[in-house]
Amino acid sequence: MNPVITFNKSYEHRLQEYTEILTDPHHKLVHSSQVHKKWSIYAELAIQVSGWYAIWKIPRLICEQLKIEFPITVFVHVVDVHYEKLAATVKVLADDGDTNLSGRHFIVPLIELWPTKKQDPSHQPGLSSTADCLDSLRVFYLYIFMPWDLEEDDSINWVREHLESRLRLFYEISTNNIPKHTAVHINNLITEARHLHKRRCVEDDAKYRVRMMQIRNEVEFLENPLLRLALLKRRERLVPKRKGNEPAHVVVLPQGKVDDYITFLNHVKPHVGATNVRYKPSLNTALIDGATDDVILLSNCRHSFKELYALQNGGVLKGLFGRDDTVVFSPQEINMLDCCGTCTFENLTIEVQAAQCGLLVRQGTVTLKNCKFVNAVKSHTCDGIIVSPGAILNVIDCDIVGFERAIIANFLSKVHVTNTKIENARFGLTIYDNSTVKLDSCHFRNCCDFAVGVETRNELEDCPNGNFDMLKMFPFVTIKNVTGEGNGADCNINSVGEIDLIQDLLNAQSDDDSSDETLDTTIVKLK
C-alpha cells in the first residue's frame, strides 16, 4: 500500500489543539452533546471536501458484514465529505486482497481514513491540513471521548472534567509510563466498551448496560492520576518479593475433596521440588495477584480467567495432567491471550469462546507445548494466533482447531511449528513477506480455502494453487514432512503487488456517475 501521513505530537501540542477546537469563544459551558458539533465545524474548515486519496482500514464488524477477510486495507478516492456526520463517501480503487470491492462506494467514518503521501497535485496544497485534522479526530474519538460520555448531564463541562486527565492517561500508556499489563487492561476495557456501544445501537440488552457501567466505573477510577498512582503502588506492594531470579511457583487449588487435593499435590511435587509454593483458589486470582515470570500450575478441571495481567510480560501456565483434562477459557472479547514477553502454555486445552483473537503475540517469544487450541464458538471471524512483527511463536505437539485463520505470521515475525495439526480452519497458516517460518512434521486437514498461504509483494506471472513444495520458492519458508488432506488447496500464493497510485489517479473519476449502491458503514454515529 502507499505510505500514509502520520504525526508524532506531544501532550502539550494535543492539549492546546483540543482546547482550541472544543472551547467556546464566548466562554460558555461545552457539554458532551456539543462535542460532535464542535468537531463538525472544525472539520469543515480543515478537511478538503473531495478529490483526495486515502487508505481505508476496514473495521472487523464491517468485514463481517461484507463477508471478507479481516484485517484488510483498501485504497480509496474521497468523493464527498459529510462534515455533519464526520464521515465521507469513498470509492474503492484497489485493495490488498481478493474482495471484489473495487469500484464500490461506501460511506465511512473519517477516523478510518489515512491520507496517502502521494496525491493529485491539485489537492496537494490542502493535504497537510486534511491529514492533521484526521489525526486529531482519530486520537480523540478512539482514546479520549468515551461511549458513555453522551449520557452525562448537560450541566457538566466536558472539556474541564475530562480532557486533560484522559489525554494524560493516553500519553502515559503510549510512552510506557505505566506497567504494560495495566495499559493493555485499560485498552481492552475501552475497546470492549466501544463494541458494547455498537451492539446497543442494534439491540438494547440489560446485560450490556450493566457491563458498560462496570467498565465506566473502572476506567474513570484509572483516569484519576492520584487514584491510578495509589492503585499501582498497592499492586506493587502485594506482589511477593523473590530471592534472586528464581521464579515463583503458584498452585491453583479450587475447592474439592481431600483425596483430590492429595492426588494433585503428588503431581505438583516433582515440578517444584523443595521450593516454596503459593496456593490460590482460582486461576483468575493467581493472575491478579501474580507477577511476571510466575509459574502457575493447574489442576485437572476447567479454569476461567479474565486476562493474563502481569503474566503477559512473561511466565508459565501449565497443566499437570493430560491436555484434555485441564481447560482454560475467558469471557474476554478482544484478545483472549495477549502476550508481550517470554510466555509458555503447556499441557492445556485453550478454549476461545468470545474473543476475536485467541492469542496475540505482540512482542517477545510465546511457546505452545502439547496444547489443544480450540475455537469453541465456531465464529467465522475468530482468528487463532496472530504474531506481530518482531515477535516469535513456537508451536510444539499441538492441535489448532476451528478458526477463521489459524496462524498469521506477519512480516518480520518468526514462527516455528513442529509436530502439529491444524484442522477445520478457513485459512490454515498465512505467511507474509520477510517473516521466518519453519514447518516440521505438520498436518493440515479440512482447511476450506487453503492450508498454507503466502502474501507476497513480489510480482509473479500467476498466483497458483498447488502442493506444499511451492513454498520452497520462498527463502524465508522452510518445510519438512508437511502433509494435508481435505483442504481447498494445500498451498496458495497471492501476489499482492504494489498499487500504482499514479495510474489510479489517472483512472479515478472524481465526478463519478456510477449507479453502484453506496453502503453506509457508519453503524455507530460519533454524535
Side-chain angles (χ1 to χ4, degrees):
M1 280 290 177
N2 298 288
V4 298
I5 302 172
T6 58
F7 296 85
N8 185 20
K9 300 177 183 177
S10 67
Y11 165 80
E12 292 77 15
H13 185 147
R14 289 199 189 274
L15 180 60
Q16 180 180 353
E17 186 176 61
Y18 289 144
T19 302
E20 291 174 354
I21 293 170
L22 299 172
T23 300
D24 188 273
H26 304 293
H27 306 289
K28 293 181 179 179
L29 179 147
V30 176
H31 44 76
S32 58
S33 60
Q34 295 176 312
V35 167
H36 180 93
K37 185 177 181 180
K38 290 285 185 182
W39 273 108
S40 298
I41 294 171
Y42 180 71
E44 191 164 5
L45 296 173
I47 299 177
Q48 297 181 83
V49 68
S50 64
W52 45 281
Y53 295 82
I55 298 300
W56 175 28
K57 296 186 176 182
I58 307 180
R60 180 184 290 271
L61 192 58
I62 302 305
C63 288
E64 184 176 346
Q65 286 190 344
L66 297 174
K67 295 181 172 56
I68 60 176
E69 180 183 349
F70 173 87
I72 189 169
T73 58
V74 297
F75 179 51
V76 299
H77 171 238
V78 177
V79 177
D80 188 22
V81 174
H82 312 291
Y83 299 106
E84 72 285 353
K85 293 176 61 178
L86 295 177
T89 297
V90 302
K91 178 182 178 181
V92 177
L93 299 180
D95 58 57
D96 63 359
D98 184 18
T99 63
N100 297 319
L101 295 181
S102 294
R104 294 185 61 180
H105 292 75
F106 298 88
I107 299 176
V108 307
L110 287 173
I111 62 174
E112 295 172 8
L113 297 177
W114 299 71
T116 56
K117 291 182 178 180
K118 291 184 179 180
Q119 296 282 337
D120 185 327
S122 64
H123 292 278
Q124 198 75 37
L127 181 62
S128 177
S129 173
T130 296
D132 185 82
C133 181
L134 290 178
D135 171 79
S136 300
L137 185 70
R138 181 164 34 249
V139 170
F140 182 83
Y141 274 107
L142 289 180
Y143 303 106
I144 311 300
F145 197 80
M146 298 298 165
W148 52 79
D149 283 347
L150 292 175
E151 300 173 4
E152 284 188 343
D153 191 281
D154 282 349
S155 64
I156 297 176
N157 187 326
W158 187 92
V159 175
R160 185 176 60 195
E161 188 74 19
H162 298 300
L163 178 59
E164 188 171 349
S165 61
R166 288 182 182 172
L167 188 61
R168 190 173 295 280
L169 176 60
F170 166 72
Y171 271 90
E172 287 194 11
I173 291 174
S174 59
T175 56
N176 298 318
N177 284 336
I178 62 175
K180 187 171 288 291
H181 61 274
T182 302
V184 170
H185 176 63
I186 294 171
N187 282 329
N188 285 344
L189 288 173
I190 294 173
T191 303
E192 182 184 353
R194 299 199 187 286
H195 288 186
L196 290 172
H197 181 57
K198 291 176 182 178
R199 292 180 183 177
R200 287 180 61 183
C201 291
V202 180
E203 51 182 296
D204 190 18
D205 195 310
K207 70 177 182 179
Y208 294 153
R209 294 195 297 273
V210 171
R211 179 58 183 151
M212 184 72 85
M213 183 59 69
Q214 292 172 339
I215 295 173
R216 176 178 181 174
N217 291 339
E218 187 168 356
V219 171
E220 288 184 343
F221 180 91
L222 291 168
E223 281 175 8
N224 186 303
L226 295 178
L227 294 177
R228 182 167 67 248
L229 180 61
L231 177 64
L232 294 176
K233 286 185 176 180
R234 178 179 179 275
R235 287 180 177 174
E236 185 178 350
R237 289 196 304 269
L238 290 175
V239 175
K241 297 295 186 293
R242 291 188 183 148
K243 296 180 179 179
N245 296 322
E246 182 179 335
H249 287 82
V250 182
V251 175
V252 176
L253 203 60
Q255 290 184 352
K257 298 178 181 179
V258 172
D259 288 344
D260 295 333
Y261 290 164
I262 294 173
T263 301
F264 178 50
L265 292 175
N266 284 332
H267 278 81
V268 169
K269 190 173 182 180
H271 295 272
V272 300
T275 60
N276 292 329
V277 298
R278 302 198 310 269
Y279 295 93
K280 296 294 178 180
S282 69
L283 172 57
N284 199 56
T285 303
L287 292 168
I288 291 174
D289 297 342
T292 300
D293 295 330
D294 276 355
V295 177
I296 300 179
L297 305 176
L298 301 176
S299 60
N300 53 336
C301 64
R302 295 178 63 84
H303 300 267
S304 175
F305 68 98
K306 188 175 181 182
E307 57 187 77
L308 292 178
Y309 297 97
L311 200 74
Q312 74 167 21
N313 295 324
V316 177
L317 191 61
K318 183 176 182 178
L320 298 184
F321 298 83
R323 67 184 184 186
D324 292 330
D325 299 318
T326 306
V327 180
V328 296
F329 62 97
S330 170
Q332 177 62 251
E333 293 190 356
I334 313 302
N335 304 311
M336 177 177 166
L337 302 172
D338 196 327
C339 299
C340 306
T342 302
C343 304
T344 299
F345 303 90
E346 186 174 355
N347 299 338
L348 302 169
T349 291
I350 301 171
E351 273 191 7
V352 183
Q353 297 187 344
Q356 297 172 355
C357 173
L359 167 61
L360 174 60
V361 188
R362 291 184 186 269
Q363 302 171 20
T365 301
V366 173
T367 299
L368 296 177
K369 187 174 182 180
N370 191 34
C371 287
K372 190 173 182 180
F373 202 81
V374 183
N375 174 15
V377 294
K378 306 299 185 290
S379 169
H380 76 279
T381 57
C382 178
D383 291 327
I385 305 169
I386 299 176
V387 190
S388 298
I392 300 173
L393 172 70
N394 298 310
V395 182
I396 305 166
D397 300 329
C398 292
D399 289 349
I400 302 175
V401 183
F403 293 95
E404 169 82 353
R405 297 176 297 176
I407 303 177
I408 302 163
N410 280 299
F411 75 101
L412 300 181
S413 67
K414 294 183 179 180
V415 174
H416 302 164
V417 185
T418 304
N419 196 30
T420 290
K421 297 178 183 177
I422 297 177
E423 304 180 8
N424 301 331
R426 182 180 175 191
F427 309 102
L429 169 62
T430 302
I431 304 171
Y432 287 87
D433 270 344
N434 299 320
S435 58
T436 301
V437 175
K438 295 182 180 179
L439 304 177
D440 186 357
S441 302
C442 297
H443 184 71
F444 295 84
R445 179 174 176 269
N446 294 339
C447 297
C448 60
D449 277 38
F450 57 75
V452 181
V454 179
E455 300 283 329
T456 179
R457 296 289 183 185
N458 297 327
E459 295 291 342
L460 302 176
E461 292 184 3
D462 54 12
C463 299
N465 294 334
N467 59 36
F468 294 110
D469 286 338
M470 293 175 58
L471 296 172
K472 295 178 181 178
M473 75 172 72
F474 299 100
F476 50 85
V477 180
T478 304
I479 63 171
K480 178 181 177 183
N481 298 328
V482 178
T483 58
E485 63 173 306
N487 302 308
D490 285 339
C491 183
N492 172 268
I493 310 300
N494 182 27
S495 179
V496 179
E498 292 291 344
I499 294 174
D500 187 347
L501 177 61
I502 302 303
Q503 188 61 43
D504 284 323
L505 290 172
L506 295 175
N507 295 337
Q509 299 178 4
S510 301
D511 299 321
D512 195 289
D513 57 357
S514 170
S515 60
D516 188 26
E517 180 183 359
T518 299
L519 176 63
D520 189 347
T521 70
T522 53
I523 296 175
V524 181
K525 307 300 186 289
L526 295 180
K527 64 178 180 179

